[in-house]
Amino acid sequence: MSVEKFQVEQEELETSILLHIRGELDLAAALTFRHALEAVVHRTDKALILDVGKLTYIDSTGIGIVVSALKIRDELKAPFAVRHIPSGIKRLFDLTGISGFLNEGIEGTA
């Protein structure tokens, strides 16, 4: 069984910062993900969007980091969204109760 290595790619658009997340987001990848978010989470000039369409797995550590980013963005009153959520990960977000807080898209962003 092949496990896809965790990767974060940042794309800066006119009105948003897009982080493309791929692979397995678990304890081993948490530091990489946290560093990628820390670099942009406090920027209020653009919406922050996590594109998780190629995320194959997330554990409680990864969910905790997403929740932390959500809280920071909420305190800053800055737009935050998670989009292209795979069905298995969506079920986890639903079970943890965070789905309602993750805007699946932000108007006017690509």
Side-chain angles (χ1 to χ4, degrees):
M1 183 166 118
S2 175
V3 174
E4 186 176 355
K5 185 178 186 300
F6 180 76
Q7 296 177 327
V8 180
E9 294 177 16
Q10 181 177 324
E11 180 180 3
E12 190 149 346
L13 305 171
E14 187 175 327
T15 61
S16 62
I17 298 167
L18 189 55
L19 294 181
H20 299 275
I21 314 299
R22 76 171 36 209
E24 293 192 357
L25 177 48
D26 56 13
L27 183 59
L31 191 58
T32 300
F33 184 45
R34 190 178 310 277
H35 284 311
L37 275 173
E38 285 174 354
V40 296
V41 74
H42 290 94
R43 286 192 51 190
T44 59
D45 59 319
K46 298 184 179 199
L48 177 57
I49 302 171
L50 302 182
D51 185 327
V52 297
K54 295 189 177 176
L55 188 65
T56 57
Y57 174 81
I58 188 169
D59 69 4
S60 60
T61 305
I63 290 172
I65 296 169
V66 172
V67 169
S68 293
L70 174 65
K71 287 179 180 178
I72 291 168
R73 298 296 287 184
D74 187 52
E75 289 171 7
L76 295 171
K77 298 190 180 358
F80 179 74
V82 179
R83 70 178 190 189
H84 302 135
I85 304 171
S87 60
I89 292 170
K90 174 84 165 78
R91 278 192 297 279
L92 285 174
F93 286 169
D94 290 344
L95 287 170
T96 58
I98 65 169
S99 289
F101 300 100
L102 304 174
N103 298 324
E104 287 227 29
I106 298 175
E107 292 297 317
T109 60

